[in-house]
Every structure is written in structure tokens, then in C-alpha cells.
């Protein structure tokens, strides 16, 4: 049996660890609440962009836009969102496993690493990281997403990539977080449901996101010596709005990933705190048994000594 001193030291060590896990749980809880507020605040703008694209696609069946074309070459770019820190249960390993099982070519897929833990996991599995943007995940700003989108669009327009995916963890609730891979380019008409539109949504959303109505676009075309017979305003609007839509998807994925990370860490730290409490109880029992054994031994020695004197 371990000595009383070693049991006491181990108990103190576990209590110190328990205080750390409690603190980390509280910090993760606060960060989770903040991330959920961000997710809710972003929803109206995303809905406006979504309805705008729906309204345009609903009235243009034969529109040939570069963001809607499937390319047979299929050169892919993948944004992988993980965390820079561990102690979050299976949060990071789950996203790495999903990427590895999805079938991306390890040599040709352009990977943007957004989180050091994900980068480390992918490197161990033989993937090549094209860009390390791990600093963004600490506190993602919308401007960071705009810069990412611009970089992706430059490579898309240059023909370096034909498909863009984002791998992140979808936050459902504090218990459920689902690793997800979402294809964001090329878009498909099937991704947009025109039934969400009201009669007034077409002009309202175009005006909100592009800053002008259809008649305003027509007037601009006349001023530049162009006619509507040779120009499709819907395509111009899509070329302006879809990058914003992509930016918002990336930003939304960041918010979902951060919420999921903190929920996973909160759960992990809660379990660790409970395990520490169980271990402390077990060590207290061991200590009491060792103490009782020590007292019994001392009494036995005293009685034996007294009998020897007699």
C-alpha cells in the first residue's frame, strides 16, 4: 500500500488539476455564449444574400455564370478549420478523420490550414499544407474572410482551382457538434430554394446587396453606351454577390467551428472535473485506510511493548 505522504501529495496534485479544469470550463462557457451570439447575429445578412441569389436564379433559367459551372478537371481547394489548442475531446481528430475519409487527393488538393491541431493531424496522414492561416481561428474577423475569399477567387479565376470546400464542425447544441465538409464553389441551382421568396424579395434583395434596382442598372448601361440586348444585369449582380455569399459562408463556418470547439472543451473539462472529484474521493478513502492501518500498527506495537515489560 502507498504511504500516507505519497497519497496526500497525489491528492493535492489532483485538486490542483481540478481547479484548472474548472477554470477552463468556465472560460469555454463564456466563449461559447459569445460565439452563439455571433452565429445568430450573422443569420439575417446570410439570409438576405441567399434570397438575392434565389431571386436571380428563379427568373434566369439559362444564365451561364462562372460560379455555376462544373469543371471536369476538378482541381480542389479545401479550408480546414480546427483549433490551435487541445483539451477539446475529439474535436480536432474528428475533423481530420472526416477530411481523410472524404477522398481528397493528397498531392493536388490545395489545403488552407486554419488551426494548428488540424494541420498537425493532416501532416501525419500525408497531406501537404499549402497555406497556414492558423492565427485567424483565434479571433476571426469578417475582413479575414474577405481576404481569404479574394485569394481563393484569384486562384479560381486563374484556373488553379475549380472547386472550393470548407471543412468545419457544425454546431447543433452544446452536446452535438457534427464535422462537416461543404462545397461552396461551384454553386448549384439545387442549393437555392425559390419557395423562400416573397413577391417583393427580388427587387428588395437586389437593391440591398448591389445598391441599385434593375431600372438603375439599365440606366447605367445606357450611360456607358450599352444596351440590355447585349448585357445581362443578373450576371453582373451574381458576380458581385456570390463572392460576398462565399465570404459569409466562410465567416459562418468560423463561428460554427469556434462554438463547437468551446462546447467540446467545456464538455471535456466538465468530465475531467468530475473524474478528478471521483479520484479525490478514492484517494481520501485510501488515505483514511492507510491512516487507520498506521494507528492500528502503533497500538499493536505499544501493547506488545507493554507485554514484553511484564
Amino acid at each position: 500500500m502507498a504511504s500516507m505522504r505519497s497519497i496526500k501529495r497525489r491528492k493535492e496534485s489532483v485538486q490542483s488539476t481540478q481547479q484548472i479544469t474548472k477554470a477552463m470550463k468556465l472560460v469555454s462557457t463564456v466563449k461559447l455564449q459569445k460565439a452563439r451570439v455571433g452565429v445568430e447575429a450573422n443569420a439575417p445578412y446570410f439570409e438576405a444574400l441567399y434570397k438575392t441569389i434565389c431571386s436571380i436564379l428563379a427568373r434566369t433559367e439559362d444564365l451561364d455564370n462562372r460560379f455555376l459551372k462544373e469543371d471536369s478537371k476538378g482541381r480542389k481547394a479545401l479550408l480546414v478549420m480546427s483549433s490551435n489548442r487541445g483539451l477539446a475531446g475529439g474535436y480536432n481528430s474528428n475533423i481530420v478523420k472526416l477530411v481523410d475519409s472524404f477522398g481528397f487527393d493528397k498531392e493536388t488538393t490545395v489545403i488552407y490550414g486554419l488551426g494548428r491541431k488540424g494541420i498537425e493531424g493532416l501532416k501525419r496522414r500525408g497531406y501537404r499544407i499549402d497555406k497556414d492561416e492558423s492565427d485567424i481561428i483565434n479571433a476571426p474577423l469578417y475582413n479575414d474572410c474577405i481576404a481569404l475569399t479574394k485569394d481563393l477567387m484569384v486562384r479560381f479565376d486563374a484556373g488553379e482551382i475549380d472547386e472550393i470546400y470548407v471543412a468545419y464542425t457544425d454546431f447543433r447544441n452544446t452536446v452535438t457538434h457534427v464535422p462537416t465538409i461543404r462545397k461552396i464553389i461551384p454553386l448549384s441551382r439545387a442549393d437555392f430554394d425559390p419557395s423562400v421568396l416573397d413577391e417583393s424579395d427580388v427587387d428588395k434583395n437586389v437593391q440591398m446587396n448591389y445598391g441599385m434596382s434593375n431600372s438603375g442598372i439599365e440606366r447605367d448601361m445606357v450611360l456607358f453606351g450599352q444596351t440590355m440586348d447585349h448585357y445581362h444585369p443578373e450576371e453582373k449582380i451574381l458576380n458581385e454577390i456570390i463572392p460576398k455569399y462565399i465570404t459569409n459562408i466562410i465567416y459562418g463556418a468560423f463561428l460554427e467551428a469556434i462554438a463547437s470547439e468551446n462546447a467540446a472543451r467545456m464538455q471535456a473539462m466538465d468530465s475531467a472535473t468530475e473524474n478528478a472529484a471521483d479520484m479525490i474521493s478514492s484517494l481520501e478513502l485510501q488515505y483514511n485506510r492507510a491512516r487507520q492501518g498506521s494507528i492500528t500498527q502503533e497500538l499493536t506495537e505499544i501493547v506488545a511493548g507493554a507485554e514484553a515489560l511484564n
Side-chain angles (χ1 to χ4, degrees), residues 13-291:
S13 175
V14 174
Q15 286 175 330
S16 177
T17 302
Q18 186 185 43
Q19 291 177 347
I20 294 172
T21 57
K22 278 183 178 179
M24 290 184 68
K25 177 188 173 183
L26 292 174
V27 171
S28 296
T29 302
V30 173
K31 288 184 176 180
L32 171 61
Q33 293 172 347
K34 184 178 179 180
R36 292 180 69 176
V37 169
V39 171
E40 294 171 1
N42 185 56
Y45 181 58
F46 178 80
E47 183 180 357
L49 290 172
Y50 180 84
K51 283 188 173 183
T52 302
I53 298 173
C54 284
S55 65
I56 294 172
L57 296 181
R59 60 181 183 178
T60 53
E61 297 181 1
D62 58 344
L63 189 64
D64 185 25
N65 187 271
R66 61 194 177 110
F67 295 115
L68 300 172
K69 292 179 180 178
E70 291 281 353
D71 195 293
S72 59
K73 296 177 183 177
R75 293 162 295 197
K76 299 176 176 62
L78 173 64
L79 282 67
V80 182
M81 297 181 181
S82 60
S83 71
N84 289 330
R85 298 180 298 154
L87 300 177
Y91 171 77
N92 292 302
S93 60
N94 288 339
I95 199 71
V96 171
K97 288 176 183 176
L98 177 64
V99 170
D100 194 40
S101 65
F102 200 78
F104 291 105
D105 187 281
K106 294 182 179 181
E107 297 298 325
T108 61
T109 301
V110 176
I111 295 181
Y112 287 64
L114 303 164
R116 283 191 288 272
K117 293 299 179 180
I119 290 174
E120 292 169 3
L122 290 173
K123 282 183 176 179
R124 283 195 297 268
R125 292 172 184 255
Y127 289 89
R128 180 178 57 83
I129 308 302
D130 191 75
K131 285 196 174 184
D132 183 349
E133 301 284 357
S134 298
D135 292 340
I136 297 177
I137 201 70
N138 293 327
L141 302 174
Y142 201 80
N143 285 339
D144 297 325
C145 300
I146 292 174
L148 275 175
T149 302
K150 285 182 178 178
D151 187 33
L152 290 167
M153 289 298 98
V154 168
R155 303 182 92 165
F156 178 76
D157 292 334
E160 296 179 24
I161 55 176
D162 306 302
E163 300 175 12
I164 302 172
Y165 296 79
V166 57
Y168 66 103
T169 305
D170 187 25
F171 178 81
R172 304 289 174 83
N173 52 55
T174 53
V175 178
T176 307
H177 341 108
V178 183
T180 305
I181 292 181
R182 180 172 182 176
K183 185 178 182 180
I184 54 179
I185 288 292
L187 299 171
S188 170
R189 287 179 177 271
D191 297 332
F192 300 93
D193 182 10
S195 65
V196 302
L197 298 172
D198 298 326
E199 290 183 2
S200 61
D201 275 331
V202 174
D203 288 333
K204 179 177 68 177
N205 286 315
V206 168
Q207 208 163 2
M208 179 188 302
N209 291 287
Y210 192 71
M212 61 180 68
S213 64
N214 286 343
S215 59
I217 295 174
E218 291 179 14
R219 286 196 299 271
D220 283 352
M221 292 305 101
V222 171
L223 287 174
F224 284 99
Q226 300 175 356
T227 64
M228 296 306 293
D229 294 335
H230 299 91
Y231 188 82
H232 299 285
E234 293 86 358
E235 184 168 353
K236 181 175 181 179
I237 296 171
L238 279 181
N239 286 333
E240 291 287 340
I241 290 178
I242 288 179
K244 295 180 182 179
Y245 179 73
I246 294 168
T247 300
N248 199 258
I249 289 177
I250 294 173
Y251 183 62
F254 269 125
L255 297 177
E256 296 279 353
I258 290 172
S260 299
E261 176 194 348
N262 286 291
R265 184 169 290 111
M266 184 181 70
Q267 281 185 289
M269 293 301 100
D270 184 54
S271 297
T273 302
E274 291 179 1
N275 291 339
D278 293 341
M279 191 175 293
I280 290 169
S281 298
S282 176
L283 290 170
E284 285 177 348
L285 183 60
Q286 291 181 37
Y287 181 83
N288 291 334
R289 285 176 178 172
R291 183 169 176 271

